[in-house]
Short mmCIF file of all heavy atoms in Angstrom, two decimals:
data_model
loop_
_atom_site.label_atom_id
_atom_site.label_comp_id
_atom_site.label_asym_id
_atom_site.label_seq_id
_atom_site.Cartn_x
_atom_site.Cartn_y
_atom_site.Cartn_z
N ALA L 1 -185.96 -80.16 53.66
CA ALA L 1 -184.92 -79.19 53.38
C ALA L 1 -184.17 -79.54 52.10
O ALA L 1 -183.90 -78.68 51.25
CB ALA L 1 -183.95 -79.11 54.55
N LEU L 2 -183.85 -80.81 51.92
CA LEU L 2 -183.11 -81.25 50.73
C LEU L 2 -183.99 -81.25 49.49
O LEU L 2 -183.60 -80.76 48.43
CB LEU L 2 -182.53 -82.65 50.96
CG LEU L 2 -181.39 -82.75 51.98
CD1 LEU L 2 -181.05 -84.21 52.23
CD2 LEU L 2 -180.17 -81.99 51.50
N MET L 3 -185.18 -81.80 49.61
CA MET L 3 -186.03 -81.98 48.44
C MET L 3 -186.63 -80.68 47.94
O MET L 3 -186.79 -80.48 46.75
CB MET L 3 -187.12 -83.00 48.77
CG MET L 3 -186.56 -84.38 49.07
SD MET L 3 -187.82 -85.59 49.55
CE MET L 3 -186.80 -86.97 50.05
N ILE L 4 -186.95 -79.77 48.85
CA ILE L 4 -187.48 -78.47 48.43
C ILE L 4 -186.39 -77.68 47.71
O ILE L 4 -186.66 -76.89 46.81
CB ILE L 4 -188.06 -77.70 49.63
CG1 ILE L 4 -189.38 -78.35 50.05
CG2 ILE L 4 -188.29 -76.23 49.29
CD1 ILE L 4 -190.04 -77.72 51.26
N GLY L 5 -185.12 -77.91 48.11
CA GLY L 5 -184.01 -77.28 47.39
C GLY L 5 -183.98 -77.71 45.94
O GLY L 5 -183.77 -76.90 45.03
N VAL L 6 -184.21 -78.99 45.70
CA VAL L 6 -184.28 -79.52 44.33
C VAL L 6 -185.44 -78.89 43.57
O VAL L 6 -185.32 -78.47 42.41
CB VAL L 6 -184.44 -81.06 44.34
CG1 VAL L 6 -184.68 -81.59 42.93
CG2 VAL L 6 -183.21 -81.71 44.94
N ASN L 7 -186.58 -78.77 44.23
CA ASN L 7 -187.78 -78.24 43.58
C ASN L 7 -187.67 -76.76 43.25
O ASN L 7 -188.27 -76.28 42.29
CB ASN L 7 -189.00 -78.49 44.47
CG ASN L 7 -189.40 -79.96 44.50
OD1 ASN L 7 -189.04 -80.72 43.61
ND2 ASN L 7 -190.12 -80.36 45.51
N THR L 8 -186.91 -76.01 44.06
CA THR L 8 -186.72 -74.59 43.76
C THR L 8 -186.01 -74.41 42.43
O THR L 8 -186.36 -73.54 41.62
CB THR L 8 -185.92 -73.92 44.90
OG1 THR L 8 -186.62 -74.08 46.13
CG2 THR L 8 -185.73 -72.43 44.63
N ALA L 9 -185.00 -75.24 42.19
CA ALA L 9 -184.29 -75.20 40.91
C ALA L 9 -185.22 -75.61 39.77
O ALA L 9 -185.14 -75.07 38.66
CB ALA L 9 -183.07 -76.11 40.97
N LEU L 10 -186.11 -76.55 40.05
CA LEU L 10 -187.03 -77.03 39.02
C LEU L 10 -187.90 -75.90 38.48
O LEU L 10 -188.08 -75.77 37.27
CB LEU L 10 -187.92 -78.13 39.61
CG LEU L 10 -189.12 -78.57 38.75
CD1 LEU L 10 -188.64 -79.24 37.47
CD2 LEU L 10 -190.03 -79.51 39.54
N GLU L 11 -188.45 -75.08 39.36
CA GLU L 11 -189.34 -74.00 38.92
C GLU L 11 -188.62 -73.05 37.96
O GLU L 11 -189.18 -72.62 36.95
CB GLU L 11 -189.88 -73.23 40.11
CG GLU L 11 -190.89 -72.15 39.71
CD GLU L 11 -191.49 -71.43 40.90
OE1 GLU L 11 -190.88 -71.47 41.99
OE2 GLU L 11 -192.58 -70.86 40.75
N THR L 12 -187.35 -72.74 38.27
CA THR L 12 -186.58 -71.84 37.41
C THR L 12 -186.36 -72.45 36.03
O THR L 12 -186.56 -71.79 35.00
CB THR L 12 -185.22 -71.53 38.06
OG1 THR L 12 -185.42 -70.92 39.33
CG2 THR L 12 -184.40 -70.60 37.18
N LEU L 13 -185.98 -73.72 36.00
CA LEU L 13 -185.71 -74.39 34.73
C LEU L 13 -186.97 -74.54 33.88
O LEU L 13 -186.95 -74.33 32.67
CB LEU L 13 -185.08 -75.76 35.00
CG LEU L 13 -183.68 -75.74 35.61
CD1 LEU L 13 -183.26 -77.14 36.05
CD2 LEU L 13 -182.67 -75.17 34.61
N VAL L 14 -188.07 -74.91 34.52
CA VAL L 14 -189.33 -75.06 33.80
C VAL L 14 -189.79 -73.72 33.24
O VAL L 14 -190.25 -73.63 32.10
CB VAL L 14 -190.43 -75.66 34.71
CG1 VAL L 14 -191.80 -75.59 34.03
CG2 VAL L 14 -190.10 -77.11 35.04
N SER L 15 -189.65 -72.67 34.03
CA SER L 15 -190.05 -71.34 33.58
C SER L 15 -189.25 -70.90 32.36
O SER L 15 -189.80 -70.34 31.40
CB SER L 15 -189.86 -70.34 34.72
OG SER L 15 -190.24 -69.05 34.33
N GLN L 16 -187.96 -71.20 32.37
CA GLN L 16 -187.11 -70.84 31.22
C GLN L 16 -187.50 -71.64 29.98
O GLN L 16 -187.58 -71.09 28.88
CB GLN L 16 -185.64 -71.08 31.57
CG GLN L 16 -185.10 -70.11 32.62
CD GLN L 16 -183.70 -70.47 33.08
OE1 GLN L 16 -183.19 -71.55 32.77
NE2 GLN L 16 -183.08 -69.57 33.83
N ALA L 17 -187.73 -72.94 30.16
CA ALA L 17 -188.12 -73.79 29.03
C ALA L 17 -189.48 -73.38 28.48
O ALA L 17 -189.70 -73.36 27.27
CB ALA L 17 -188.15 -75.26 29.46
N PHE L 18 -190.39 -73.01 29.38
CA PHE L 18 -191.72 -72.58 28.95
C PHE L 18 -191.63 -71.26 28.17
O PHE L 18 -192.36 -71.05 27.20
CB PHE L 18 -192.63 -72.41 30.16
CG PHE L 18 -194.06 -72.11 29.82
CD1 PHE L 18 -194.88 -73.10 29.30
CD2 PHE L 18 -194.59 -70.85 30.03
CE1 PHE L 18 -196.21 -72.83 28.97
CE2 PHE L 18 -195.91 -70.57 29.72
CZ PHE L 18 -196.72 -71.56 29.18
N GLY L 19 -190.72 -70.41 28.61
CA GLY L 19 -190.51 -69.15 27.90
C GLY L 19 -189.99 -69.38 26.49
O GLY L 19 -190.28 -68.59 25.58
N ARG L 20 -189.24 -70.47 26.30
CA ARG L 20 -188.74 -70.84 24.95
C ARG L 20 -189.79 -71.62 24.18
O ARG L 20 -189.53 -72.05 23.06
CB ARG L 20 -187.47 -71.69 25.08
CG ARG L 20 -186.30 -71.01 25.76
CD ARG L 20 -185.02 -71.82 25.58
NE ARG L 20 -185.15 -73.20 26.03
CZ ARG L 20 -184.84 -73.64 27.23
NH1 ARG L 20 -184.40 -72.78 28.15
NH2 ARG L 20 -184.97 -74.91 27.56
N LYS L 21 -190.95 -71.85 24.81
CA LYS L 21 -192.03 -72.66 24.24
C LYS L 21 -191.59 -74.10 23.98
O LYS L 21 -192.03 -74.76 23.04
CB LYS L 21 -192.56 -72.03 22.93
CG LYS L 21 -193.10 -70.62 23.12
CD LYS L 21 -193.76 -70.10 21.87
CE LYS L 21 -194.21 -68.65 22.04
NZ LYS L 21 -195.14 -68.46 23.16
N ASN L 22 -190.71 -74.58 24.86
CA ASN L 22 -190.21 -75.95 24.75
C ASN L 22 -190.85 -76.78 25.86
O ASN L 22 -190.27 -76.99 26.93
CB ASN L 22 -188.69 -75.97 24.88
CG ASN L 22 -188.09 -77.32 24.51
OD1 ASN L 22 -188.77 -78.35 24.60
ND2 ASN L 22 -186.85 -77.33 24.09
N LEU L 23 -192.07 -77.23 25.61
CA LEU L 23 -192.81 -77.99 26.62
C LEU L 23 -192.17 -79.34 26.91
O LEU L 23 -192.28 -79.87 28.02
CB LEU L 23 -194.26 -78.18 26.17
CG LEU L 23 -195.10 -76.90 26.08
CD1 LEU L 23 -196.51 -77.21 25.59
CD2 LEU L 23 -195.17 -76.20 27.44
N ARG L 24 -191.51 -79.88 25.90
CA ARG L 24 -190.85 -81.18 26.09
C ARG L 24 -189.78 -81.09 27.18
O ARG L 24 -189.66 -81.98 28.02
CB ARG L 24 -190.23 -81.62 24.77
CG ARG L 24 -189.74 -83.06 24.76
CD ARG L 24 -190.87 -84.03 24.61
NE ARG L 24 -190.40 -85.42 24.66
CZ ARG L 24 -191.20 -86.47 24.68
NH1 ARG L 24 -192.50 -86.30 24.66
NH2 ARG L 24 -190.71 -87.68 24.73
N ASP L 25 -189.03 -80.00 27.16
CA ASP L 25 -188.00 -79.80 28.19
C ASP L 25 -188.62 -79.58 29.57
O ASP L 25 -188.04 -79.96 30.59
CB ASP L 25 -187.10 -78.61 27.84
CG ASP L 25 -185.94 -79.01 26.94
OD1 ASP L 25 -185.85 -80.21 26.60
OD2 ASP L 25 -185.13 -78.13 26.59
N CYS L 26 -189.80 -78.96 29.62
CA CYS L 26 -190.49 -78.78 30.90
C CYS L 26 -190.74 -80.14 31.55
O CYS L 26 -190.49 -80.32 32.75
CB CYS L 26 -191.83 -78.06 30.69
SG CYS L 26 -191.69 -76.34 30.19
N GLY L 27 -191.21 -81.07 30.75
CA GLY L 27 -191.44 -82.42 31.26
C GLY L 27 -190.15 -83.11 31.64
O GLY L 27 -190.08 -83.84 32.64
N LEU L 28 -189.10 -82.88 30.85
CA LEU L 28 -187.79 -83.48 31.13
C LEU L 28 -187.27 -83.03 32.49
O LEU L 28 -186.78 -83.84 33.29
CB LEU L 28 -186.80 -83.11 30.03
CG LEU L 28 -185.35 -83.55 30.25
CD1 LEU L 28 -185.25 -85.08 30.27
CD2 LEU L 28 -184.44 -82.98 29.16
N TYR L 29 -187.38 -81.73 32.77
CA TYR L 29 -186.91 -81.21 34.05
C TYR L 29 -187.72 -81.78 35.21
O TYR L 29 -187.18 -82.04 36.29
CB TYR L 29 -186.97 -79.68 34.06
CG TYR L 29 -186.03 -79.03 33.07
CD1 TYR L 29 -186.43 -77.94 32.29
CD2 TYR L 29 -184.73 -79.51 32.89
CE1 TYR L 29 -185.57 -77.35 31.38
CE2 TYR L 29 -183.87 -78.93 31.97
CZ TYR L 29 -184.29 -77.85 31.22
OH TYR L 29 -183.44 -77.27 30.33
N LEU L 30 -189.02 -81.97 35.01
CA LEU L 30 -189.85 -82.58 36.04
C LEU L 30 -189.40 -84.00 36.33
O LEU L 30 -189.28 -84.41 37.49
CB LEU L 30 -191.32 -82.58 35.61
CG LEU L 30 -192.29 -83.33 36.53
CD1 LEU L 30 -192.36 -82.66 37.91
CD2 LEU L 30 -193.67 -83.40 35.91
N HIS L 31 -189.14 -84.76 35.27
CA HIS L 31 -188.69 -86.15 35.44
C HIS L 31 -187.37 -86.21 36.20
O HIS L 31 -187.18 -87.06 37.08
CB HIS L 31 -188.53 -86.82 34.07
CG HIS L 31 -189.82 -86.95 33.33
ND1 HIS L 31 -189.88 -87.06 31.96
CD2 HIS L 31 -191.10 -86.97 33.75
CE1 HIS L 31 -191.13 -87.15 31.57
NE2 HIS L 31 -191.89 -87.09 32.64
N ARG L 32 -186.45 -85.32 35.84
CA ARG L 32 -185.15 -85.34 36.50
C ARG L 32 -185.25 -84.95 37.97
O ARG L 32 -184.58 -85.53 38.82
CB ARG L 32 -184.19 -84.40 35.76
CG ARG L 32 -183.74 -84.97 34.41
CD ARG L 32 -182.75 -84.09 33.69
NE ARG L 32 -182.22 -84.77 32.51
CZ ARG L 32 -181.38 -84.21 31.66
NH1 ARG L 32 -180.97 -82.96 31.84
NH2 ARG L 32 -180.93 -84.89 30.61
#
């Protein structure tokens, strides 16, 4: 319940960074 909550936010952030073509930030959000 707790960890999937974190991962739901991750998908949104990665999608936004990917839309900006900022792959480095995609990796950063995964690490965090």
Side-chain angles (χ1 to χ4, degrees):
L2 290 173
M3 296 177 188
I4 287 178
V6 173
N7 288 339
T8 301
L10 169 66
E11 184 177 21
T12 300
L13 293 170
V14 170
S15 180
Q16 291 173 349
F18 186 72
R20 299 192 305 267
K21 301 187 184 302
N22 191 335
L23 294 178
R24 191 77 183 173
D25 273 1
C26 291
L28 174 64
Y29 295 138
L30 173 65
H31 296 156
R32 287 182 172 177

